[in-house]
Amino acid sequence: MTHDVFNQAPPLTGHDVSADPALIAGVRRENADWALGELHRLGVLAGTERAQEWGRLANDHPPVLRTHDRYGHRIDEVEFHPAWHELMAVAVENGLHASPWASARPGAHVARAAKFYVWSQVEAGHGCPISMTYASVAALRHSPALAAVWEPLLTSRHYDFGLRPAAEKRGVLAGMAMTEKQGGSDVRSNTTRAEPCGDGTYALTGHKWFNSAPMCDVFLVLAQTGEGLSCFLLPRVLPDGTRNAMRLMRLKDKLGNRSNASAEVEYERAIAWLVGEEGRGLRTILEMVNMTRLDCVIGSAAGMRYGVTRAVHHARHRTAFGKPLAEHPLMRNVLADLVLESEAATTLMMRVAGATDRALRGDRFESALRRVALAVAKYWVCRRAPGHAAEALECLGGNGYVEESQMPRLFRESPLNGIWEGSGNIAALDVLRAMTREPETLEAFLIEVGRAAGGDRRLDEAVDRLRESLSDLDDAELRARRIAEDMALVLSASLLLRFAPQEVADAFCASRLAGEGGHAYGTLPPGTDLEAIISRGAITS
């Protein structure tokens, strides 16, 4: 023995991941307090060493593509580590994939968002097929006959992995295939074509450059017809049991999201069914995209919470220069700033989830607010995640830079939600599109922000500046990112003023609106109640 091991933070296990004050307050506020028991049970599981080990194993043993069997038959199957299936089974059994669509209960989409936020902190990659299955129902409802067949299977709480006809399965998962090599976000340039077969089906020929979660049972796919870009439902296995002609060419070698498979695919007259109107495919699939964009916000907020809880935990247990890191003034400033960013993201995420729930139930104001606030949140929260992950990692020093800490996995994952479902420019331009094409969205946004009017002079002044910048949109495209940023900050500040403790709201307004903080984390102004803020990022159970 050459030394004793001491002054290392203990493992962060055996806690309730849902014990997050901003999350619980949002669940109660957005009419989902009936789900707190379910959320607690999932949070306790998420905090176990067993669940965390599933996350590690799923990433250390990424999926493998098997294009052919031993005899040379084409099979196009993706093989996963058992830990992936454990993660998926928990997600499906807890309704993270599509349960709100089978519920008439107010707050169902909020409850699902909260559970997605909690379970995503165990492992983010498996959230991709869960998210797309959730979102697919919104698009499928454009074709009631197809929805009648598929929706009961999509909303089932049975995880039934394997390529078999849907009629033989207890539950199915859905994916999405939009982008092609030449187009990316410009899906109108897609070349995949769909030809009617004369029996109500279409034959698709072409390719997709990114097909997320290719092991799913069914996909929503964009293809060109004589009427223009259209949306189709394409199953992996046809009703007669034969494999559809969807060829998996290779899996992407990605920066992060290693546990999840993403593939390049080709279609050789693959059979599919039209969803919605021919030539209106973009509008149809945007129903799905709007739901997955919400999950991008949730996923980024979840990553921030994961990072900050580990940073606070490490700093409270690690001693340097004679006292715990968390007692050093500058580290306290960094930790408080990270908690502040995390709480703002969680609060904004929960408000958008609440707007989504009420919009889907017919509330016109909430629908207008959701339209613009979702685009704002998608831009801002996802944009802030990588820098937040990097700072949280740095709080652990060299310990945070090694794979065993799982912080590198968080860092690699952090840019994904900013790219998925439209990168930063797409999201910022969507903010402009919402306000110019649907003026009621800006009106709803200003009403929402105005509910905190008079609560803080710095917010009132920021809102005045925003109104002035929006009064002339001649060069708005050039300023789109700044506009989206300003809208995100005033909306977040207004929500924190209404719903968060005073010390949180005050610090946010000072540092984010009044310029009293710097550009880096850890530059909150003197007088900030650092300990009160840090305590909200600590695991207490």
Side-chain angles (χ1 to χ4, degrees):
M1 295 291 293
T2 60
H3 68 283
D4 294 325
V5 176
F6 65 99
N7 196 25
Q8 290 281 351
L12 182 52
T13 60
H15 60 285
D16 178 2
V17 175
S18 74
D20 173 344
L23 176 70
I24 298 302
V27 168
R28 290 182 170 138
R29 189 170 60 246
E30 302 293 347
N31 300 319
D33 53 350
W34 51 266
L36 286 173
E38 300 173 19
L39 185 63
H40 168 69
R41 288 188 291 273
L42 185 62
V44 169
L45 176 59
T48 63
E49 185 177 358
R50 176 171 59 122
Q52 293 180 26
E53 183 67 356
W54 290 340
R56 183 190 70 81
L57 289 170
N59 281 271
D60 286 354
H61 303 278
V64 176
L65 174 61
R66 306 295 186 194
T67 57
H68 295 78
D69 67 12
R70 59 182 292 194
Y71 303 106
H73 302 115
R74 187 98 198 198
I75 56 173
D76 294 295
E77 293 192 0
V78 183
E79 189 177 279
F80 291 86
H81 189 275
W84 165 273
H85 298 298
E86 297 282 5
L87 293 164
M88 291 291 293
V90 171
V92 171
E93 289 163 8
N94 281 273
L96 276 63
H97 63 309
S99 61
W101 303 110
S103 172
R105 199 166 193 175
H109 290 272
V110 176
R112 182 260 169 195
K115 289 193 282 187
F116 190 81
Y117 172 93
V118 165
W119 194 240
S120 292
Q121 293 179 54
V122 176
E123 201 286 313
H126 82 288
C128 176
I130 296 298
S131 177
M132 291 189 297
T133 302
Y134 167 60
S136 67
V137 176
L140 265 182
R141 287 185 172 181
H142 282 268
S143 291
L146 287 175
V149 173
W150 287 94
E151 193 168 322
L153 290 167
L154 290 165
T155 57
S156 166
R157 294 201 181 196
H158 293 283
Y159 176 58
D160 193 354
F161 183 79
L163 295 181
R164 303 190 304 280
E168 298 178 11
K169 302 193 71 173
R170 296 185 300 166
V172 301
L173 297 174
M176 174 170 52
M178 294 173 53
T179 61
E180 297 183 4
K181 295 183 182 72
Q182 72 285 346
S185 295
D186 182 12
V187 295
R188 295 187 187 277
S189 67
N190 284 6
T191 60
T192 297
R193 64 184 186 277
E195 300 174 357
C197 298
D199 60 356
T201 65
Y202 288 73
L204 271 59
T205 302
H207 81 281
K208 296 297 171 185
W209 191 228
F210 276 93
N211 189 131
S212 296
M215 62 287 178
C216 287
D217 300 280
V218 66
F219 297 88
L220 289 176
V221 180
L222 290 178
Q224 302 283 0
T225 70
E227 298 296 322
L229 196 64
S230 305
C231 182
F232 295 90
L233 182 78
L234 189 152
R236 285 294 314 275
V237 181
L238 296 172
D240 64 4
T242 59
R243 300 286 176 94
N244 209 352
M246 173 180 164
R247 311 302 186 200
L248 308 189
M249 308 310 292
R250 63 173 177 170
L251 300 185
K252 296 288 192 181
D253 186 7
K254 298 170 292 184
L255 168 68
N257 204 244
R258 307 289 291 184
S259 69
N260 178 48
S262 301
E264 298 169 21
V265 304
E266 294 186 359
Y267 309 113
E268 301 176 20
R269 293 191 60 81
I271 300 301
W273 284 259
L274 180 67
V275 179
E277 297 179 46
E278 193 172 339
R280 303 293 293 272
L282 188 55
R283 173 169 293 190
T284 300
I285 210 164
L286 278 177
E287 294 285 350
M288 184 175 185
V289 169
N290 281 331
M291 306 308 296
T292 48
R293 282 179 176 170
L294 172 61
D295 281 3
C296 289
V297 178
I298 299 171
S300 290
M304 289 187 193
R305 177 66 181 179
Y306 178 94
V308 82
T309 55
R310 274 139 189 84
V312 172
H313 176 77
H314 177 85
R316 286 188 165 181
H317 288 88
R318 177 81 163 179
T319 298
F321 309 110
K323 58 184 177 182
L325 282 170
E327 294 182 12
H328 290 271
L330 188 53
M331 177 59 81
R332 287 160 58 78
N333 199 321
V334 171
L335 294 173
D337 217 352
L338 289 172
V339 173
L340 196 62
E341 192 74 31
S342 173
E343 178 144 350
T346 300
T347 303
L348 177 56
M349 174 270 287
M350 291 303 291
R351 181 63 184 95
V352 176
T356 298
D357 191 83
R358 288 184 285 275
L360 293 171
R361 297 175 192 281
D363 188 313
R364 296 181 63 184
F365 173 83
E366 296 289 310
S367 180
L369 177 64
R370 175 208 182 202
R371 173 67 185 91
V372 68
L374 177 57
V376 165
K378 168 67 169 73
Y379 171 77
W380 184 245
V381 176
C382 299
R383 179 69 35 213
R384 297 291 281 177
H388 191 277
E391 195 70 56
L393 181 155
E394 188 175 322
C395 288
L396 277 66
N399 287 332
Y401 202 69
V402 298
E403 291 293 339
E404 290 169 316
S405 73
Q406 304 304 329
M407 296 299 278
R409 191 175 90 203
L410 171 68
F411 183 65
R412 288 192 298 270
E413 193 77 23
S414 62
L416 175 62
N417 287 314
I419 298 170
W420 194 33
E421 304 301 33
S423 58
N425 285 354
I426 296 296
L429 292 172
D430 195 39
V431 173
L432 297 184
R433 187 178 301 109
M435 294 188 296
T436 55
R437 297 184 181 180
E438 305 168 61
E440 67 274 13
T441 63
L442 177 57
E443 181 182 355
F445 180 89
L446 293 174
I447 289 172
E448 179 71 17
V449 170
R451 289 171 174 163
D456 190 288
R457 170 188 52 80
R458 294 162 297 193
L459 173 60
D460 294 340
E461 291 173 353
V463 172
D464 288 342
R465 292 193 298 270
L466 175 63
R467 287 179 181 273
E468 182 177 354
S469 73
L470 294 176
S471 63
D472 183 0
L473 295 178
D474 286 345
D475 61 347
E477 184 172 337
L478 181 67
R479 297 185 291 117
R481 284 191 174 220
R482 181 58 188 268
I483 290 170
E485 175 179 330
D486 290 345
M487 293 177 72
L489 291 174
V490 299
L491 179 56
S492 297
S494 71
L495 293 170
L496 293 176
L497 279 165
R498 293 165 62 196
F499 305 126
Q502 181 179 352
E503 56 270 14
V504 172
D506 182 71
F508 190 90
C509 289
S511 59
R512 272 62 168 177
L513 299 182
E516 296 175 28
H519 295 289
Y521 287 109
T523 56
L524 294 176
T528 301
D529 191 341
L530 300 177
E531 185 54 38
I533 298 172
I534 292 170
S535 67
R536 295 178 68 80
I539 293 296
T540 58
S541 61

